[in-house]
Amino acid sequence: MAITHETLRPPRGNEVAVRITHAALSSTDVLARRGGYVLQPVPGFVPGYDFVGVLETESAVSAALGLRAGARVAGVLPRMGAHATRLVLSPTFLVAVPDALTSERAATLPLTAVTAAVALRYAGPARSILVQGVSGAVGSLVAQLALRDDRVVVGTGSALPPALAPHGLDVPLADSRDPDWPARARELAGGSVEAAIDDSGSPCVREAVDPSGVVVHTAFAGRAGQRREDAVRETASAVLHRFGHPREVVCAVPFWVLRRRPAYRRLLAGLLDDAADGRLTPFDPQVVPFDSVWEAHRLADQRPAGRTIVLAMP
Ligand SMILES: NC(=O)c1ccc[n+]([C@@H]2O[C@H](COP(=O)([O-])OP(=O)(O)OC[C@H]3O[C@@H](n4cnc5c(N)ncnc54)[C@H](OP(=O)(O)O)[C@@H]3O)[C@@H](O)[C@H]2O)c1
């Protein structure tokens, strides 16, 4: 991994330039650095899917979206590249950051919160939801959004994240080291699990879900050293099971952002408002200066409980 200096081309047409101030360093960045991420298989990429920054230029489209030069903005990129000091991009990837939200905290949200919300949309009207990895950044937001809708939520993970505490939310945990955990999860959910939001790809998740239900895959953990190959194989298997019992859906937010731009902007703007108003609590940011990006990756490798590493750009 290296810090490189490149000259950025000026914005063309309706593009805008953003000076990035903060960018999350998430588990996906760690996976990509280790060579296990399907969407970045070749070395030489710039990590980072999401960011907060300041709009340096404006265009007719940014003005139409209410985004003027000097505005604080946040966004998710369809490909990585946010661990940089500046970006030139379409303003349709950007939303304004509410005044009440610090940039550090806002930077923990775009990718994780959009992933949580899109995964729940794919779960449809399911009233009982199993959240694999509820202790993680995405899982804890899935739980908050689902509980807010009065759905029954059960989870797997080592512990409940502190982010649930301000909302007085309790999620019963099944221990995924127990071979009978799918049955335990169903029991904890009152006998029926109508949907699972799964970041593991474990076949046990299917066992936990009703035959008429849905498994939404946000990730496939895979085997150490073979994560990329396993993710490709398991994605193909999920696609083949899209009409199965339960049916399966792959939730790939980078593609969703690319295809559904207005829906993405509405969703992200609403989620940032929720966080600003205290209706949604993301993980706490652990801010590391960009100059210490290697230290930031070392911290991210340790997966600090309840915290998201956020790079502060110079
Ligand atoms: N589909 C998409 O578009 C999309 C978008 C964002 C993220 N993701 C993926 O979603 C997954 C979760 O992201 P996140 O930001 O919530 O990650 P995170 O904060 O690190 O949480 C990971 C969760 O998985 C559990 N886990 C168990 N064993 C693990 C292991 N060996 N390594 C890592 N985690 C383990 C953790 O449980 P314990 O710590 O309690 O054991 C934790 O609950 C990642 O795989 C990420 O790449 C997908």
Side-chain angles (χ1 to χ4, degrees):
M1 199 169 62
I3 294 181
T4 61
H5 295 265
E6 289 175 21
T7 307
L8 203 63
R9 66 169 175 78
R12 296 184 197 123
N14 271 305
E15 289 179 337
V16 289
V18 174
R19 178 172 62 80
I20 299 182
T21 58
H22 298 86
L25 197 171
S26 70
S27 52
T28 310
D29 298 309
V30 171
L31 184 67
R33 188 200 69 218
R34 291 176 178 162
Y37 185 47
V38 178
L39 299 185
Q40 284 294 0
V42 183
F45 60 91
V46 177
Y49 263 124
D50 52 355
F51 61 89
V52 169
V54 177
L55 205 54
E56 289 195 315
T57 63
E58 56 184 58
S59 66
V61 170
S62 78
L65 296 173
L67 302 172
R68 296 291 193 174
R72 225 157 41 106
V73 290
V76 177
L77 299 174
R79 288 181 65 80
M80 291 180 151
H83 292 178
T85 50
R86 280 188 167 72
L87 281 176
V88 168
L89 76 174
S90 163
T92 57
F93 290 109
L94 304 175
V95 301
V97 176
D99 290 343
L101 202 56
T102 65
S103 296
E104 291 84 350
R105 189 162 290 277
T108 66
L109 275 159
L111 179 67
T112 48
V114 170
T115 303
V118 173
L120 267 184
R121 284 186 180 193
Y122 285 143
R127 299 311 310 162
S128 48
I129 307 233
L130 165 66
V131 184
Q132 276 277 77
V134 75
S135 50
V138 173
S140 96
L141 291 171
V142 172
Q144 290 175 54
L145 292 171
L147 287 164
R148 214 165 71 175
D149 287 348
D150 284 333
R151 309 197 206 204
V152 173
V153 179
V154 295
T156 63
S158 51
L160 278 189
L164 295 184
H167 307 276
L169 300 176
D170 196 14
V171 175
L173 288 181
D175 183 349
S176 53
R177 289 166 303 186
D178 171 1
D180 289 332
W181 77 260
R184 178 72 184 135
R186 293 177 64 80
E187 191 184 309
L188 289 170
S192 159
V193 170
E194 294 177 15
I197 312 296
D198 172 42
D199 69 356
S200 71
S202 161
C204 296
V205 178
R206 277 187 220 138
E207 283 174 43
V209 176
D210 296 354
S212 58
V214 55
V215 178
V216 181
H217 298 283
T218 55
F220 299 96
R223 293 161 293 175
Q226 299 181 51
R227 301 213 189 281
R228 214 165 57 207
E229 297 78 359
D230 284 355
V232 170
R233 193 173 36 75
E234 289 170 18
T235 302
S237 161
V239 170
L240 289 173
H241 285 89
R242 67 187 183 284
F243 301 119
H245 304 282
R247 64 191 175 85
E248 297 187 35
V249 182
V250 177
C251 168
V253 166
F255 295 134
W256 190 82
V257 167
L258 204 54
R259 283 187 292 120
R260 302 284 310 275
R261 213 70 59 79
Y264 146 74
R265 293 187 65 260
R266 276 194 304 276
L267 188 64
L268 177 54
L271 291 161
L272 291 174
D273 281 343
D274 286 350
D277 293 348
R279 290 191 301 268
L280 197 64
T281 304
F283 275 15
D284 286 331
Q286 178 164 355
V287 181
V288 179
F290 188 50
D291 295 348
S292 304
V293 65
W294 292 276
E295 170 66 5
H297 272 268
R298 197 185 59 74
L299 288 170
D301 277 338
Q302 296 163 2
R303 303 175 45 243
R307 280 175 290 152
T308 297
I309 310 295
V310 170
L311 295 170
M313 299 304 169

